[in-house]
Amino acid sequence: MNRYPRDMRGHGPNPPRANWPNDARIAVQIVLNYEEGGENCILHGDAASEAFLSDIPGAAQWAGQRHWNMESIYEYGARAGFWRLHRLFTGRDIPITIYGVATALARSPEQVAAMKAADWEIASHGLKWVEHKDMPEAEERAAIAEAIRLHTEVVGTPPRGWYTGRCSANTVRLVAESGAMDYISDTYDDDLPYWAEIGARDQLIIPYTLEANDMRFATAPGYSTGEQFYQYLRDAFDVLYAEGAAGAPKMLSIGLHCRLIGRPGKIAGLMRFLDHAQAHEGVWFARRADIAAHWAKAHPPARRERPSQMDAARFVAKFGSIFEHSPWVAERAHALDLGPAHDCAAGVHNALCRAFRSASDAERLAVLQAHPDLAGKLAAAKALTAESTNEQASAGLDALTEAERSAFQSLNAAYMAKHGFPFIIAVRDYTKPEILAAFEARIANDTDQELATACRQVERIAEFRLKDILP
């Protein structure tokens, strides 16, 4: 099948209500990335020095050499930045999640002890803080397994959450296949958690952030001052808080790095943001593990049959009657590059309409001619499809007076004689008098105009039918 794997729909236009604890209007989730001692360095067996996320503008890797300045900047994060942040969060009693690179944690026993004493979650940030994009799948799978092993050895408990960061296209699948994680965060695609069906596993995804993130002190376009960081975080908080007050609570992820936000001139902006957020009621500061546990309980996974995953026979059996007596429309729609965005009424409707609109004039006319008359002989004989029966009944066309029945029969005959196809209208949009009035008005139109109108009404009827059976 020609299938598009990316999910452009997500929770759709009506996301689930988060139902955060104590009816919180917003969940604020702060991540502190602990990478110092796990970055690229020839001391770690790497081919070159680190070049990513530091205060050295335009840094480049030094092949085969130690980059003393780069190493020193990373060391600042472990030696000074971490402890400044530790005092900040413990002093305010704010729980956070650590994304801990396993080899970095192994080189920082005092910091690990402090994380544990503060009851911070220590999630896995991979084995080393290096690029995974070019790793062969077997090598990356082995690195994931070793990261879990070393993390467990260093921390004393295995990680239950995962974020690689510098990931490959295989990372999320490989981590999910390990079966070891309550959640994975290597996505940036939502303001709420969601479930991903990866093979037989329902994997919880808790999206992360690269914009409410102090990494932009080291990337362009980015922040130059702590005040800019504060303003961005405040604005993000205020928008999401207002959405929560309106009944649609979300999650605000904030990403931090010891060597970046741990600097005095940068942390001041974070402090101002915390003042702002803590001054509001209904704010849940949570670890990612807490959010994962809440979501699994409040919104457990629920698998359903997905149109984009159906084979052709099942797709046609399910949707072949949406366009009246015209299963070929569903057959052609199935051949399109469907994906997760089509696993809803709007998605299947779009695919079916594409097939219908690209058909020949004769084929579209045949679809129109397959439709029954309104309140006609087939209805009287109870020979309509189930869909047509329900639709006509919804407008009261199954309970006509003799005068109404006579009027419809007369109009049906005159309309067919003039245009060559039955009068088609999405009856669920109208009352019985409105239908009769539209019938009387449209019969006078020219046939080309009526053909276009009838085709639009056929698509509208299909939309109603799909909403009856799909989200």
Side-chain angles (χ1 to χ4, degrees):
M1 295 188 296
N2 181 23
R3 292 297 176 258
Y4 188 69
R6 296 169 63 196
D7 185 352
M8 312 301 278
R9 180 172 185 261
H11 289 302
N14 300 299
R17 185 180 175 93
N19 294 322
W20 300 133
N22 300 314
D23 202 26
R25 297 179 180 183
I26 186 173
V28 177
Q29 203 297 297
I30 298 174
V31 166
L32 179 58
N33 293 269
Y34 198 88
E35 299 155 351
E36 290 75 10
E39 78 277 15
N40 281 285
C41 179
I42 64 170
L43 295 178
H44 306 158
D46 302 308
S49 62
E50 186 56 71
F52 192 44
L53 293 189
S54 80
D55 286 322
I56 302 176
Q61 288 192 311
W62 291 6
Q65 298 183 56
R66 294 178 64 184
H67 192 317
W68 194 260
N69 293 346
M70 182 65 72
E71 290 180 22
S72 179
I73 287 172
Y74 269 76
E75 288 158 15
Y76 182 93
R79 293 162 55 114
F82 172 83
W83 297 111
R84 181 170 287 119
L85 290 158
H86 181 268
R87 290 189 293 272
L88 174 65
F89 292 123
T90 56
R92 291 176 179 254
D93 197 26
I94 293 176
I96 69 169
T97 290
I98 297 290
Y99 283 166
V101 174
T103 50
L105 296 175
R107 296 181 173 111
S108 299
E110 284 187 300
Q111 290 88 336
V112 170
M115 297 171 194
K116 294 172 66 176
D119 197 27
W120 292 351
E121 176 197 6
I122 309 178
S124 181
H125 198 5
L127 180 62
K128 299 171 68 175
W129 177 230
V130 298
E131 290 287 356
H132 284 225
K133 65 182 180 65
D134 297 320
M135 280 189 186
E137 188 171 316
E139 181 182 339
E140 186 173 12
R141 183 181 287 108
I144 291 167
E146 176 59 14
I148 296 171
R149 185 204 68 77
L150 180 58
H151 183 111
T152 305
E153 179 182 287
V154 170
V155 177
T157 54
R160 303 302 305 170
W162 184 279
Y163 175 73
T164 299
R166 300 160 85 167
C167 64
S168 76
N170 299 318
T171 300
V172 172
R173 174 176 58 82
L174 293 175
V175 176
E177 288 175 358
S178 75
M181 298 300 147
D182 293 335
Y183 70 88
I184 299 172
S185 289
D186 275 300
T187 70
Y188 313 94
D189 51 4
D190 216 298
D191 298 310
L192 288 172
Y194 61 89
W195 294 97
E197 296 176 5
I198 302 178
R201 182 174 175 80
D202 293 309
Q203 179 64 61
L204 183 62
I205 306 295
I206 303 182
Y208 187 46
T209 176
L210 296 181
E211 39 82 45
N213 192 312
D214 70 353
M215 67 178 287
R216 296 188 64 177
F217 281 110
T219 59
Y223 311 120
S224 299
T225 67
E227 181 66 16
Q228 291 174 326
F229 189 46
Y230 158 64
Q231 290 175 354
Y232 190 89
L233 295 182
R234 180 199 62 199
D235 289 348
F237 175 91
D238 288 349
V239 169
L240 294 179
Y241 190 83
E243 291 182 7
K250 303 294 195 311
M251 175 182 70
L252 173 60
S253 291
I254 299 172
L256 306 174
H257 299 77
C258 300
R259 63 192 174 279
L260 295 175
I261 201 67
R263 294 281 181 175
K266 295 170 184 170
I267 201 171
L270 176 62
M271 291 174 175
R272 284 195 283 275
F273 167 74
L274 295 178
D275 289 339
H276 179 75
Q278 289 187 302
H280 288 70
E281 295 181 354
V283 179
W284 181 38
F285 286 93
R287 304 172 304 176
R288 269 173 132 66
D290 303 323
I291 290 174
H294 169 80
W295 202 264
K297 182 178 180 180
H299 303 282
R303 291 207 172 197
R304 61 181 176 84
E305 189 176 37
R306 297 183 179 276
S308 67
Q309 297 173 3
M310 295 176 182
D311 62 22
R314 176 57 184 155
F315 192 91
V316 173
K318 184 80 171 178
F319 306 116
S321 64
I322 298 299
F323 279 68
E324 194 87 2
H325 297 297
S326 304
W328 62 265
V329 177
E331 290 173 1
R332 295 183 191 179
H334 183 268
L336 299 173
D337 60 340
L338 306 184
H342 295 89
D343 293 335
C344 60
V348 176
H349 183 252
N350 181 268
L352 294 175
C353 288
R354 287 177 60 190
F356 177 62
R357 293 166 190 165
S358 62
S360 68
D361 292 343
E363 288 171 321
R364 288 197 302 278
L365 178 59
V367 172
L368 303 186
Q369 292 171 335
H371 275 258
D373 290 333
L374 289 184
K377 294 179 180 179
L378 290 177
K382 299 189 183 302
L384 299 177
T385 63
E387 293 89 349
S388 290
T389 298
N390 292 334
E391 288 157 1
Q392 295 203 23
S394 72
L397 301 186
D398 61 339
L400 300 176
T401 66
E402 284 304 317
E404 289 171 336
R405 192 181 315 280
S406 176
F408 272 106
Q409 290 175 350
S410 176
L411 287 167
N412 281 329
Y415 188 96
M416 175 65 79
K418 179 174 181 180
H419 298 300
F421 51 86
F423 175 75
I424 299 172
I425 190 169
V427 295
R428 290 201 231 180
D429 279 328
Y430 304 94
T431 64
K432 183 166 55 177
E434 289 172 338
I435 294 170
L436 195 57
F439 209 156
E440 292 170 342
R442 282 174 49 187
I443 199 169
N445 293 336
D446 64 66
T447 296
D448 286 344
Q449 182 182 358
E450 270 305 286
L451 184 68
T453 300
C455 285
R456 287 194 296 271
Q457 290 298 306
V458 164
E459 293 183 7
R460 179 63 170 160
I461 292 167
E463 182 180 3
F464 278 121
R465 292 179 177 182
L466 287 166
K467 286 181 177 179
D468 288 340
I469 59 176
L470 286 174

